[in-house]
Amino acid sequence: MLLIVTFRPEFQPGWMGKPHVTPLSLNRLAPREVGTIVDHIIGNKLLPATIRQDIIERTDGIPLFAEEMTKAVLEAESENEARRVAALVPSPALAVPASLHASLLARLDRLGPVRELAQIGAAIGREFSHPLLALVARKPEAELQTALGRLISAGLLLRQDGAPYATYSFKHVLVRDVAHSTLLREPRRTLHATIAKTLESHFPEISESQPELIARHYREADDVTKAVAYLSVAGDRALSHSALKEAHEHITLALQLISALPDDDIRRRSELKLQTALARTLQEQKGYADQQVGEAYSKALELSKRVGDAGMHLAALYGLWAYQYLSGQPIAMLEQANEFLAFAEQEDDADPIMVGYRLVGTSRLINGNIADASGALYQAFLRYDPDQHGAASPIGRSLRARFGHDVGVTMYSYRSWALWLSGQAADAEKASESLLERGDALGHDDQSQLYALWHAGITYVLLRNVDKVAEIGSKLTDLATDRQLPYWQALGDFLCGWRATRAGRAGDAVGLLQEGLRIWAQTGSRIFRPICLAFLADAYAADDKPDLAHRTFEEALRTVSETGERWAEPEIYRMFGDLLARRGQSAVAIANYEQAIAIACAQGARSFELRATTSLARFLSDQGRHAEAHDRLLNIYRFFNTGCDTADLADARTLLDKPPFASQGRGQ
């Protein structure tokens, strides 16, 4: 005969230890096992996956609790009501079985005066330290130890000894919640206020590392002003560590609470700070181009005008600039950048003036005005001091907090592009190396690291350094995937797709670029779409799909016209010309090459002009028009430092030296 006996841990039977007795400790069920119970009860009924997951998480592995909560949720009349039921756990009215709740209350009541200590511990949280409990309870140590001993003996508390002091935890979250529910409103408010003040005065490390904990106690104490202040600090801290989900939760809660405060200047300043922080959190979560980001920054801009805070006004202007940039509004972006620089100069604030020149330079570059962009970016470069503005400096951290990324990273990013486009390839490569070094040194600043990787990656694409693009693309993809940031994952796909085409894996390239463009569209971003479509068209051509390549090049050029993003327009025309030349469409191919050269010349994009002229010269030479081809290519080639070893210069030099092409030069 097999006899099975169940009992609680505190029960000590005399027959334990005998050879024919086998004890089994039944721990809480694993999430998978709780899910099995829930699914059995659900049967054929429909239950949203998010609510099912809430049940699994909130019932903490207790079978009876899982059953009762699932039944309560199924009895709800709507999905919203079901979510409310799940969110209310462990409310005794809906989810905690009445017998369980009554049993816990009875056990607490039987403890008499010791119940007060359980209530204090419950107010602190499920886990609490001995020093904090002692300071809040204000009882003699002997009395405190006796009361704690009774709670432990009753199976309500667990003690863990460790340096420098013991900690206690309620055996189950239900025990804590039932104990907390027995507090009347006023004593509860007073107790939470005492806990918050004790944490502030005696535990500064908690104020610094867990401001959201103090915010919770002030919120329970109905001290909204202090709760908002600590939630704001918690949001900033989470954002600085790229903990975006936590940052969004803290800031959103603070904005909900602050609406209850009087509409005075203090509230408006706090609300402005929170609104700006919310916009930054959303842009890092969803990408700059998401509509919620634009709305958040627009609201912040209006608040900044009401408050009259110059610094926050600049931060809001920057946010709107970034939104317009990535949502494909280059003309509006340039206007926003000019407004930023004008306001910074009006305030005579040197650091924002530096940032303003960077914004103006970037905006001009994206609009295809390379010469003017280089001038503005050079002005930013002149004002940048690595010691004063570096990531580790107070000013550098302040600029990063106000303007989203490390200022050195953003400046070197677009300076490297501008240098290459204007024909200074060696300097562009040096700037890109500095950019990567700065990105690597940024530690927890994931966004600036990702920013550095993408922009350095494009510089090496322009330099046609396949190995370097492969290395950077892999790093960008790995970091973006690890952080679950689709915006940056798409950019990683673009780099890896370009590299796959150059490595002879056209099929893989098509898949990567299509996936990148799909994710990119989901983020709402339109910036970089023309050049990335050109990457895809080039991959189609390499994959022997000329019709798809043709249509995709046409789409890339339409996108240029629709958005006004013209910096890569000459390269798109050149690449399209190469496709047309291979398909035997001579006249149209030459027209595309000429268009690429004309646009590059007007923009001041010398490197694109060289590349397009090389393609044209090669095509003309193949048609026997050697003299014309030689003269056209030599004219632009002379502009460059021939001692600089770049792929484009090597191609041009090889063509110039190739007979009978070279004989044209000797004849002259």
Side-chain angles (χ1 to χ4, degrees):
M1 182 174 66
L2 174 66
L3 178 66
I4 299 176
V5 182
T6 60
F7 52 90
R8 294 186 179 279
E10 58 265 27
F11 177 64
Q12 295 295 326
W15 30 262
M16 288 293 284
K18 296 188 180 298
H20 57 282
V21 176
T22 303
L24 297 172
S25 295
L26 301 181
N27 296 315
R28 291 184 177 88
L29 298 181
R32 179 181 57 80
E33 295 164 332
V34 177
T36 301
I37 291 177
V38 172
D39 292 341
H40 178 74
I41 296 171
I42 293 171
N44 295 325
K45 299 182 180 68
L46 295 177
L47 186 69
T50 54
I51 297 180
R52 178 183 181 276
Q53 186 61 31
D54 279 346
I55 295 172
I56 292 171
E57 291 176 358
R58 293 171 182 272
T59 52
D60 210 14
I62 297 176
L64 178 61
F65 195 16
E67 291 176 353
E68 293 301 319
M69 182 176 174
T70 305
K71 291 173 183 175
V73 166
L74 289 176
E75 289 169 3
E77 293 182 357
S78 67
E79 181 174 328
N80 286 338
E81 178 66 8
R83 292 184 188 279
R84 190 177 74 83
V85 170
L88 282 172
V89 171
S91 164
L94 283 177
V96 182
S99 58
L100 179 56
H101 188 262
S103 173
L104 290 171
L105 275 177
R107 293 175 70 192
L108 285 169
D109 287 340
R110 284 196 295 271
L111 293 171
V114 174
R115 187 177 77 161
E116 181 189 354
L117 195 65
Q119 292 172 322
I120 294 171
I124 295 172
R126 182 170 181 184
E127 183 176 294
F128 49 89
S129 69
H130 188 91
L132 177 56
L133 180 69
L135 286 166
V136 175
R138 298 176 185 174
K139 294 181 181 295
E141 183 62 23
E143 182 181 338
L144 186 64
Q145 289 288 359
T146 300
L148 285 168
R150 289 193 61 191
L151 287 169
I152 293 168
S153 298
L156 299 176
L157 276 189
L158 300 173
R159 174 188 170 107
Q160 182 175 348
D161 293 311
Y165 43 72
T167 58
Y168 303 90
S169 62
F170 286 96
K171 192 168 185 180
H172 190 276
V173 68
L174 284 181
V175 179
R176 181 263 169 191
D177 290 329
V178 170
H180 191 252
S181 71
T182 60
L183 283 163
L184 297 178
R185 180 173 177 78
E186 279 307 314
R188 180 188 298 187
R189 289 174 56 186
T190 302
L191 180 54
H192 279 287
T194 301
I195 294 168
K197 291 172 183 175
T198 303
L199 289 169
E200 282 180 314
S201 58
H202 291 84
F203 300 90
E205 70 280 3
I206 291 179
S207 297
E208 183 174 339
S209 64
Q210 299 181 68
E212 65 277 8
L213 180 61
I214 300 178
R216 179 175 69 81
H217 289 297
Y218 273 125
R219 186 185 176 202
E220 292 279 3
D222 289 342
D223 190 334
V224 175
T225 301
K226 287 194 172 183
V228 167
Y230 275 104
L231 283 169
S232 179
V233 173
D236 288 344
R237 185 176 185 278
L239 189 55
S240 70
H241 287 77
S242 296
L244 304 180
K245 181 176 181 291
E246 290 81 357
H248 186 269
E249 289 173 355
H250 300 325
I251 295 165
T252 302
L253 178 57
L255 284 168
Q256 291 171 356
L257 293 175
I258 205 170
S259 61
L261 295 176
D263 187 14
D264 55 19
D265 187 62
I266 295 175
R267 170 189 155 172
R268 286 192 290 270
R269 286 183 179 277
S270 297
E271 191 173 2
L272 171 58
K273 183 177 183 298
L274 288 166
Q275 191 64 42
T276 304
L278 176 63
R280 282 187 52 217
T281 303
L282 287 169
Q283 79 187 25
E284 296 191 11
Q285 274 186 314
K286 300 173 178 291
Y288 287 87
D290 189 87
Q291 185 176 350
Q292 292 182 52
V293 175
E295 292 170 354
Y297 273 121
S298 294
K299 189 170 183 179
L301 188 61
E302 289 305 311
L303 282 168
S304 70
K305 292 175 182 177
R306 292 175 61 196
V307 169
D309 187 312
M312 298 302 287
H313 186 67
L314 285 168
L317 282 171
Y318 176 88
L320 272 179
W321 172 87
Y323 168 70
Q324 291 163 347
Y325 172 37
L326 285 181
S327 59
Q329 305 175 58
I331 296 173
M333 172 190 66
L334 180 56
E335 293 173 356
Q336 202 78 49
N338 287 329
E339 183 180 347
F340 183 104
L341 179 58
F343 187 82
E345 289 178 330
Q346 175 186 317
E347 294 294 313
D348 196 24
D349 195 337
D351 295 328
I353 289 173
M354 173 185 66
V355 174
Y357 274 114
R358 201 277 292 177
L359 300 188
V360 170
T362 301
S363 303
R364 289 174 177 172
L365 186 149
I366 296 301
N367 277 277
N369 192 340
I370 309 306
D372 288 347
S374 298
L377 290 165
Y378 182 66
Q379 288 299 318
F381 181 74
L382 288 177
R383 290 165 170 78
Y384 180 76
D385 182 337
D387 294 329
Q388 183 179 356
H389 302 114
S393 70
I395 292 177
R397 289 195 297 270
S398 173
L399 290 172
R400 195 280 188 218
R402 292 164 65 188
F403 305 124
H405 296 97
D406 176 76
V407 66
V409 163
T410 58
M411 186 188 63
Y412 273 95
S413 291
Y414 288 97
R415 180 165 165 75
S416 66
W417 288 19
L419 286 168
W420 186 90
L421 289 165
S422 59
Q424 302 171 69
D427 291 336
E429 187 165 12
K430 290 177 184 176
S432 194
E433 289 170 357
S434 296
L435 170 60
L436 289 172
E437 289 173 4
R438 291 175 188 281
D440 288 341
L442 288 173
H444 292 296
D445 187 356
D446 291 341
Q447 293 295 319
S448 293
Q449 287 187 57
L450 292 161
Y451 195 101
L453 288 167
W454 161 248
H455 289 86
I458 287 295
T459 302
Y460 284 108
V461 165
L462 296 172
L463 288 163
R464 294 165 57 191
N465 188 328
V466 177
D467 292 339
K468 201 69 180 177
V469 173
E471 175 191 336
I472 293 171
S474 178
K475 285 183 179 178
L476 176 56
T477 300
D478 289 347
L479 183 56
T481 302
D482 181 65
R483 299 299 190 269
Q484 297 183 337
L485 298 172
Y487 169 83
W488 295 107
Q489 285 175 311
L491 296 178
D493 285 341
F494 296 150
L495 293 180
C496 293
W498 179 89
R499 190 262 178 184
T501 302
R502 293 334 177 255
R505 296 185 288 106
D508 292 342
V510 167
L512 284 164
L513 292 162
Q514 286 177 334
E515 178 64 7
L517 286 164
R518 183 190 67 79
I519 297 172
W520 197 235
Q522 289 178 344
T523 69
S525 301
R526 299 196 73 192
I527 192 72
F528 310 134
R529 183 171 172 80
I531 189 61
C532 293
L533 281 168
F535 291 169
L536 176 60
D538 198 36
Y540 280 140
D543 200 30
D544 197 24
K545 296 173 180 172
D547 291 338
L548 274 174
H550 192 285
R551 289 197 294 270
T552 307
F553 274 126
E554 289 180 332
E555 184 183 353
L557 291 171
R558 279 198 307 273
T559 306
V560 168
S561 298
E562 291 168 1
T563 64
E565 183 189 340
R566 298 191 176 277
W567 71 275
E569 188 177 13
E571 178 68 348
I572 298 170
Y573 271 110
R574 183 198 69 82
M575 294 169 72
F576 197 4
D578 284 348
L579 173 70
L580 295 167
R582 289 193 296 271
R583 302 189 78 182
Q585 297 175 258
S586 301
V588 188
I590 291 173
N592 272 267
Y593 291 142
E594 295 287 12
Q595 183 78 341
I597 293 167
I599 295 171
C601 187
Q603 290 181 350
R606 289 284 192 172
S607 291
F608 279 152
E609 186 180 353
L610 171 67
R611 194 177 282 180
T613 305
T614 301
S615 288
L616 174 63
R618 183 180 294 110
F619 187 71
L620 292 176
S621 181
D622 289 344
Q623 290 189 327
R625 298 160 65 178
H626 303 301
E628 180 185 356
H630 178 273
D631 291 347
R632 294 287 296 270
L633 182 55
L634 187 61
N635 189 48
I636 180 64
Y637 181 78
R638 283 172 174 161
F639 170 83
F640 290 85
N641 176 6
T642 54
C644 179
D645 183 22
T646 68
D648 289 333
L649 283 172
D651 283 352
R653 182 72 263 169
T654 299
L655 189 56
L656 287 168
D657 290 342
K658 181 180 178 181
F661 206 96
S663 64
Q664 303 300 317
R666 287 192 292 271
Q668 295 175 5

